[in-house]
Structures are given as C-alpha cells and as structure tokens.
Amino acid sequence: MIMSKDENTAEDIKPTNFIRNIINKDLESGKHQSVQTRFPPEPNGFLHIGHAKSICINFGIAEDYNGLCNLRFDDTNPAKEESAYAEAIAKDIEWLGFKWNGDIRHSADYFDKLFAFAEELINKDLAYVCELSMEEMRSYRGTLTEVGKNSPHRERSVEENLAMFQAMKAGEHKDGSMALRVKIDMGSPNINMRDPVIYRIKTAHHIRTGNDWCIYPTYDFTHGISDAIEGITHSLCTLEFEDHRPLYDWFLDNISIDCHPQQIEFSRLNLEHTITSKRKLNQLVVDGIVDGWDDPRMPTISGMRRRGYSASAIKDFIGRTGVTKKVHTVEMSLLENSVREDLGENAPRAMAVLNPLKITLTNYPDDKVESIQAPKHPQKEEMGKREIFFSKEIFIDQDDFRESANKKYKRLVLGKAVRLRNAYVITCDEIIRDSEDNIIELKCSYDENTLGKNPEGYKPKGVIHWVSASHSKVATIRLYDRLFNVANPALEDDFMTTVNPNCLQTIDNARVEMSLTTALPEAVYQFEREGYFCADRYQHSTDNLVFNRTVTLRDSWAKIEAKN
Ligand code: ATP
Ligand code: MG
C-alpha cells in the first residue's frame, strides 16, 4: 500500500502507539518495574533507513520510560559478518544521538550458555540430532497445506543425542552432515514449529570467537534466549517474525531461565525509489553502481549523513511514519520534506553558480571591489552576516538569461533589468557570442543607486544569484537524483535493471562565493535559488571544494510524478 501524504496526519505523530500501550499496561499491572529493550543488528552491512526506524523505536522507548536499550550484534552467521560493519553500525547509532546500555553485546558472548541450553533440551528429550540432508529435511517439512513427516532420527535416545551433539561440537562431522533439531510438532499448522534446526555444523572463522566453534546456533534459537539472558522486557521486531513468536515462546518455556520477554512486532519501513535490504544494498556496492555503502545516494544512515541529512531530520521523518502493524511504503518526499524543513530553519545561505555565464559590467570601475555584508539567514539575524564581494566581472547561471522571454520569465533578458541578490540592479545591453553562436558573455550596466534600494522610474523583473569572477572559487558540485526509476524496485524480478542511470550528475566548474572556502566538511548550506548542499565529508577541503546536493528547494518530483 502506498501511503499518501494526507494519511500522515497528526494522529501518527502523536507519541503514543500500540507498543507504548502494551508497555503502559505492563508497568501499571506491575508485570515490569522498568523497561529494557534492545537493538539487534546483524553486522553484515551498513544500517539503512529501515534500521533507523527500529533504532528510534527501541532507543526512543527506552529513553521515554527511563529504561535501557542494549546494542547487541546478532552475529550467529560467521560467513557474512565483518568487524568493519560492526564498527560502522555503532558509529551510526551514536551519530543518531542514542546511547546504548553498558558495553556492546554480542550473541557470540552467549555461545557457551546457548550450548548448555541445547543440552538441556536434549536431556528433556526435546531435541535430537538429525542426519537428513537439507533437501530431505525440506521434503519432510511439508508445506503450508500439507503436514510434515517425522524424521527417522527423531527417536534417538537422550544419551545418543548428547554424544552426537558433543561430537558435532568437537568437529568430528562434516558441514551439513547433521544438525540439532528441537522436537515440537511436524503436524503444526505453523511451519516454524515443525522441528526447526537449532544448531548446524559450519566450519567458519567467526569475528569474535575465531575458530573456537564449528557449530553455530540458528537465529531463532539465539535471539529469544539472548533477550532473556539480558533481561529484556519487550523484544520489538518487524512483522516477518510474527510467525516465529510461538517458537520464541517455546524456547523460553522449555529451558531453565526465569525471564520471558514479550515479542511485539511492528511493520517495516519501506521507502519508495530505494531499497531497504542490506543484501541488495551490498549488490549496489559490489557491482560499483555506487561508490561504497556511504555514497550519498544510498539510503544508509551514513549515506544520508554524507548527503547532508541531519540526525534530527531523520528522526522527525521516522516519527511521522508512525508505529503500526500496517504494511506500507512511504513516499521519498516525506523524508525529503523533513530534511527541507530542518535545513530551511538551520542552513546558512550562500551563493553558488552551477553553470557560469560571464557578465562584464561596462560602467563599473575596472579595479573596484566592494565588500557587502549579507545575512547568513534571512529570518535569523542571530546567525550573523557573511562577506561577499562585488566587482566588474561577475558570473550568473546560464539558466538565468534569455535573449527574449515572455512576462513569466522573471530573470535577466536582453534589454531588461534584474536585481542581483544582496547587490545592485543590472540591465543587459549586449550579448557576446563565439564563432558557433553560443552565448559566452553579456555586457551589462549596473545602477549605482540600487544597493539596498529600489531603482527610480523602473521595476526590475526578479532577483537572481551571482558571484564575483575575481572573488569566487571553482567547486565540484554533485547533483543526486532518485537511485531507482521505479517506486518499488524490490518488487521487480531484477531490481538492478531499474537503477536510474542519471542518479548522479557532476559539475566540475561551478563557482561559489568566497565564504564557502571556510566551509567545514559536513556543513550544509542553502545555495540561494538552487537547493541545499553539503560539503563532502571526505573529499571537501579548502583547496578542493566539493558539495553534494542534499535536496532541492522544492519537491520537483511531485510534479513529474503527477504528470506521468
Ligand atoms: P536487512 O534485510 O536489511 O539485512 P534485517 O532485518 O535482516 O534487514 P537486521 O540487522 O537483522 O536486518 O535488523 C536489525 C533490526 O532492525 C531488526 O530488529 C529488524 O527487525 C530491524 N529492521 C530491519 N529492517 C527494517 C525496516 N525496513 N524497518 C524497520 N525495522 C527494520
Ligand atoms: Mg537479519
């Protein structure tokens, strides 16, 4: 379902939601005295906007109830996990402004305990070593409409199971040759309850435990037990785990542990024109479609940061999407509106000319340079002023000039006047062309009585931005567009075929005002009339100005999409 803007009413922004209602009841009834949540990412990629939702919910609830939120790396799949991902994940959470409780935890910290709980299940005759191959197991499992069949190994003795499980641990068996399964019910209508595997043999190096283990617990077995070990009260996860909840509860009901967190599911955040799956985002990185996980086009937290989105804009957006069980896909414009609102308020203004066209002011003294104090923010005097320079040669944008135009065109036209933002009114007198008839320069005259004053006897058409030729710097500017051409790339057979080939346009010879030479990496400005731009976190320096377009000033996509 596509969520329209109208549905994001104040209702959704209200801080209460169904999860909070459950927590409120648990506190009122005395079931819990305090709230303990956790955020459990798998370190197999960078966090994306969907994870930001889970982070805001888990850490946000802990904050609001004076509770605690653990950060736990769910690292049960050694093949795909890397420490670099774990480090990036921790940094992203900090950058969003959240603090986890105590040290970072790892599922791997509980491998010994998990092994002991598995032995407990064997001892209770609730787990057995099964030697069916993967395919056999699949065919024994049955389908949604057909019940499963018991494994021929289901009735081994406890002693035999214990010995075989020890042998699995000791590395005496090949990968995939056997697995430990729990004994629940092959006839259960819920496939997750049909004797799921809880340990598999995998000869792999683990980022935390090295080569200590050659058997690894499955996610379902590990997750709930790790929650209980940590004393989690409410285990908040996404809807795809709803069918796993009976299993989550079964494990905790059948092992000796005196904590039973409540699993509560909410709907995932899906965002139009992008992808929220680490596996698919990884493919964009591996195939070189983007320049790494933190490329500004990526919906990763680090990509959005590099694009110039602030943590508070991201959190504002997440708040607007609400917490529900409704499956929905949110329009990108909702996120961009949060970003625009934040930057409109906080970004200092500056002038940059993306496609420079030279103007010579024929009546301006040759060597004169004027210093003009321009406000950093039109509504916020407290942000102070910046110094801009005016001189005989200036640049305006090629788009801001027409040889002739109708009345709707409120920029510079041959023979007409326009105001230069923060400076004088000029009139275009002459066009200079090259041998191929391209316009390469304009000769204009300025009205010296118009600095901060209206001209007498005529009215200029509009206001355009500009920079002085001698007092500006060349900059590289990157314009970003939607990463995918379709709203729901994840629904395509091959999402890679829907990558927008024009999602990045690089301009090498833009001109920016001098004040921007002191821009610090990650600072975001409003380039007047052009949009919001962020000094690149890695590549921007005083000697090499690089700005990434964060977002346009208005939602130009809404119009395009309405037309299509
Ligand atoms: P991915 O497919 O991108 O790897 P995942 O769910 O496998 O997603 P995890 O690292 O296991 O990623 O997720 C950590 C937590 O973030 C989980 O609790 C998960 O439910 C939550 N999460 C992941 N994606 C989203 C999303 N799109 N919206 C909300 N929560 C999400
Ligand atoms: Mg996962």
Side-chain angles (χ1 to χ4, degrees):
M1 195 200 90
I2 310 292
M3 193 189 221
S4 79
K5 270 184 219 143
D6 319 336
E7 283 179 76
N8 299 303
T9 55
E11 279 288 300
D12 290 320
I13 304 167
K14 267 200 312 207
T16 190
N17 59 50
F18 79 99
I19 297 180
R20 283 164 196 265
N21 292 342
I22 294 172
I23 294 176
N24 289 340
K25 271 201 201 117
D26 288 349
L27 293 172
E28 275 162 30
S29 72
K31 180 179 175 193
H32 296 299
Q33 273 66 51
S34 60
V35 174
Q36 172 87 52
T37 57
R38 86 287 169 266
F39 174 63
E42 184 179 359
N44 62 344
F46 280 50
L47 298 181
H48 52 64
I49 185 76
H51 296 112
K53 174 155 195 160
S54 180
I55 291 170
C56 287
I57 292 176
N58 280 294
F59 283 92
I61 281 180
E63 254 174 27
D64 292 352
Y65 286 88
N66 279 320
L68 298 167
C69 179
N70 291 352
L71 169 58
R72 182 199 320 138
F73 286 115
D74 158 33
D75 50 1
T76 51
N77 193 354
K80 285 192 275 165
E81 292 154 10
E82 287 178 23
S83 333
Y85 290 143
E87 282 158 31
I89 288 172
K91 277 203 192 112
D92 285 345
I93 297 170
E94 280 177 329
W95 179 76
L96 280 175
F98 293 111
K99 252 185 106 64
W100 51 87
N101 166 38
D103 293 334
I104 295 176
R105 291 140 216 263
H106 304 83
S107 299
D109 300 341
Y110 312 132
F111 279 172
D112 285 320
K113 287 185 181 162
L114 289 160
F115 185 82
F117 285 128
E119 284 192 316
E120 181 186 348
L121 291 173
I122 295 175
N123 276 312
K124 289 178 171 165
D125 200 17
L126 289 174
Y128 61 97
V129 173
C130 179
E131 290 168 89
L132 291 180
S133 68
M134 290 270 269
E135 293 93 87
E136 286 168 329
M137 243 188 244
R138 208 169 296 133
S139 77
Y140 273 69
R141 191 179 298 135
T143 62
L144 283 173
T145 51
E146 252 175 86
V147 295
K149 269 195 312 201
N150 282 354
S151 159
H153 311 122
R154 206 173 193 256
E155 299 310 326
R156 277 187 215 283
S157 69
V158 167
E159 290 67 34
E160 195 184 349
N161 277 319
L162 281 175
M164 286 184 82
F165 189 43
Q166 280 292 348
M168 277 170 62
K169 184 192 182 199
E172 290 168 22
H173 299 285
K174 281 207 308 270
D175 285 18
S177 59
M178 57 185 70
L180 187 69
R181 301 174 69 177
V182 279
K183 206 183 267 189
I184 307 180
D185 179 6
M186 291 306 290
S188 169
N190 182 342
I191 292 184
N192 295 300
M193 300 299 272
R194 296 183 189 167
D195 290 12
V197 169
I198 62 168
Y199 265 92
R200 62 253 200 257
I201 305 175
K202 216 177 244 184
T203 320
H205 183 89
H206 187 282
I207 51 174
R208 303 274 305 169
T209 57
N211 296 323
D212 291 355
W213 294 85
C214 62
I215 56 170
Y216 290 95
T218 54
Y219 176 84
D220 278 333
F221 184 63
T222 309
H223 192 73
I225 298 179
S226 302
D227 281 349
I229 291 172
E230 292 178 10
I232 302 302
T233 55
H234 301 87
S235 179
L236 314 176
C237 62
T238 34
L239 277 181
E240 69 272 23
F241 293 105
E242 198 165 29
D243 291 345
H244 297 235
R245 188 178 350 118
L247 186 56
Y248 183 103
D249 290 332
W250 188 93
F251 288 132
L252 296 179
D253 287 340
N254 287 288
I255 60 168
S256 310
I257 197 158
D258 55 6
C259 174
H260 193 137
Q262 180 181 1
Q263 176 179 307
I264 307 172
E265 309 86 17
F266 60 90
S267 56
R268 288 177 91 86
L269 169 64
N270 301 309
L271 194 58
E272 283 187 357
H273 294 284
T274 194
I275 288 277
T276 44
S277 148
K278 280 185 247 134
R279 187 180 58 76
K280 289 181 175 158
L281 292 173
N282 187 44
Q283 198 175 337
L284 295 172
V285 175
V286 170
D287 290 4
I289 303 292
V290 293
D291 204 12
W293 283 92
D294 58 0
D295 183 297
R297 287 165 289 181
M298 291 283 267
T300 51
I301 294 176
S302 54
M304 293 187 288
R305 172 179 179 178
R306 195 166 161 202
R307 177 91 170 241
Y309 294 13
S310 72
S312 61
I314 294 171
K315 289 195 265 192
D316 176 76
F317 161 72
I318 299 291
R320 285 168 196 262
T321 63
V323 181
T324 68
K325 279 186 178 280
K326 225 166 41 177
V327 176
H328 61 196
T329 301
V330 178
E331 289 171 15
M332 183 65 95
S333 57
L334 191 69
L335 171 58
E336 290 182 340
N337 282 339
S338 290
V339 172
R340 251 184 226 115
E341 232 173 85
D342 172 49
L343 292 174
E345 183 84 359
N346 299 309
R349 276 37 175 179
M351 290 195 285
V353 174
L354 271 46
N355 300 299
L357 172 61
K358 188 174 148 186
I359 290 184
T360 303
L361 299 167
T362 47
N363 61 340
Y364 196 84
D366 283 357
D367 300 321
K368 188 171 168 183
V369 176
E370 269 176 273
S371 159
I372 298 171
Q373 294 292 312
K376 283 194 181 160
H377 194 293
Q379 282 90 42
K380 289 183 148 183
E381 222 175 293
E382 67 277 15
M383 282 177 75
K385 301 215 183 267
R386 64 192 209 265
E387 188 174 28
I388 53 177
F389 299 93
F390 194 76
S391 59
K392 188 178 180 77
E393 289 182 352
I394 62 169
F395 291 112
I396 65 163
D397 200 281
Q398 286 167 19
D399 263 359
D400 285 338
F401 174 74
R402 294 266 192 286
E403 190 167 356
S404 60
N406 65 23
K407 285 203 172 88
K408 280 193 203 138
Y409 186 79
K410 295 204 164 31
R411 309 180 212 175
L412 186 61
V413 177
L414 180 63
K416 303 265 167 61
V418 79
R419 174 171 287 285
L420 298 175
R421 168 80 94 212
N422 297 308
Y424 297 96
V425 173
I426 61 168
T427 300
C428 181
D429 306 313
E430 187 188 347
I431 299 173
I432 312 288
R433 298 174 196 271
D434 64 10
S435 55
E436 276 147 32
D437 223 28
N438 300 309
I439 299 174
I440 52 166
E441 188 185 337
L442 304 174
K443 302 274 187 202
C444 298
S445 45
Y446 89 113
D447 183 341
E448 68 175 325
N449 295 316
T450 55
L451 188 62
K453 275 189 289 193
N454 285 329
E456 278 176 28
Y458 66 101
K459 229 177 151 221
K461 263 287 165 60
V463 184
I464 62 173
H465 61 284
W466 57 278
V467 294
S468 150
S470 55
H471 289 72
S472 61
K473 288 274 180 203
V474 172
T476 299
I477 290 188
R478 301 191 189 120
L479 304 177
Y480 299 107
D481 204 339
R482 302 283 191 263
L483 188 48
F484 292 94
N485 278 327
V486 297
N488 290 301
L491 299 181
E492 301 288 320
D493 289 338
D494 178 5
F495 76 100
M496 293 293 279
T497 60
T498 65
V499 169
N500 173 5
N502 303 316
C503 57
L504 168 63
Q505 184 198 342
T506 305
I507 298 175
D508 293 321
N509 56 350
R511 287 271 179 170
V512 302
E513 68 173 62
M514 291 304 276
S515 78
L516 290 171
T517 56
T518 56
L520 295 174
E522 296 200 74
V524 188
Y525 295 83
Q526 185 193 100
F527 289 174
E528 298 195 53
R529 301 183 60 242
E530 291 290 0
Y532 295 97
F533 291 80
C534 176
D536 190 80
R537 185 174 169 195
Y538 304 114
Q539 286 149 356
H540 171 90
S541 69
T542 309
D543 307 319
N544 179 37
L545 308 180
V546 182
F547 292 93
N548 303 325
R549 183 167 69 195
T550 310
V551 67
T552 52
L553 288 176
R554 274 169 290 278
D555 183 6
S556 51
W557 264 75
K559 272 181 253 147
I560 295 168
E561 284 179 320
K563 264 191 223 155
N564 287 342

